[in-house]
Amino acid sequence: MLIGLISDTHGLLRPEAEKALSKAEVILHAGDIGGAEILERLSAIAPVFAVRGNNDDPSEWSALPETHSAVWEGVSIFMLHDIEFFRPAKLEVMPQLVIFGHSHKPAAYEKQDIHFMNPGAAGRKRFSLPISVAMLEVNAGKWNVEFINLLDERPLP
């Protein structure tokens, strides 16, 4: 199963992001969406699960959760916007993967047997950070992630 990972669109869904996510069977948006049209356009590609980011006004996005957890193909995934608010002690089941955004910086690392992934920002350019998304392949409890730089050739994690 292919899961598209996107975050920090801030109201801008680039055609390059839509193309990169075009084969996704599910899309996870890790917050700072910026407008309902972003989720509508992503939903035209695949079902979308999204969380509210710090720039997503709670009065406009009250139906959007702050966290989302699911299991796909035997891989447990927990998603939130800002990793600083990840509280594993409050979870009933420890996830294998934590998907987050907020920093606009693509990242993949492991800490205390949990794998953390940030697809980076797909919207507006911030400083010299790349514009990116990621594709996560999950199958029988295993996964592989590919980061996709949308605008240049800089290597990503």
Side-chain angles (χ1 to χ4, degrees):
M1 175 179 208
L2 285 174
I3 301 174
L5 306 178
I6 188 168
S7 187
D8 296 281
T9 47
H10 293 279
L12 174 62
L13 183 58
R14 297 170 181 274
E16 296 90 347
E18 289 176 290
K19 182 179 178 188
L21 299 173
S22 66
K23 293 187 171 125
E25 297 170 68
V26 170
I27 296 173
L28 302 181
H29 194 307
D32 279 356
I33 300 157
E37 69 281 354
I38 302 296
L39 296 184
E40 290 168 11
R41 287 172 57 196
L42 290 173
S43 293
I45 298 169
V48 176
F49 297 89
V51 295
R52 188 171 60 236
N54 62 300
N55 286 304
D56 296 322
D57 186 343
S59 65
E60 293 177 38
W61 294 95
S62 61
L64 208 59
E66 291 183 357
T67 65
H68 177 77
S69 25
V71 177
W72 281 291
E73 297 290 328
V75 177
S76 60
I77 298 173
F78 182 85
M79 179 173 57
L80 75 166
H81 180 63
D82 187 344
I83 196 64
E84 294 298 318
F85 295 106
F86 180 59
R87 303 289 181 262
K90 293 187 175 190
L91 300 176
E92 291 181 26
V93 177
M94 202 55 56
Q96 293 168 283
L97 299 176
V98 174
I99 308 299
F100 66 100
H102 187 62
S103 71
H104 291 226
K105 185 176 181 181
Y109 59 90
E110 183 181 355
K111 186 176 179 183
Q112 298 177 336
D113 296 325
I114 301 174
H115 294 264
F116 295 85
M117 292 178 198
N118 183 337
R124 302 189 192 310
K125 193 120 176 87
R126 182 176 181 202
F127 310 117
S128 62
L129 294 171
I131 301 297
S132 61
V133 298
M135 290 296 289
L136 176 67
E137 183 176 8
V138 294
N139 185 13
K142 299 187 185 301
W143 67 85
N144 184 47
V145 67
E146 175 191 359
F147 288 84
I148 303 164
N149 192 328
L150 299 176
L151 300 182
D152 60 49
E153 299 297 318
R154 283 183 280 176
L156 299 175

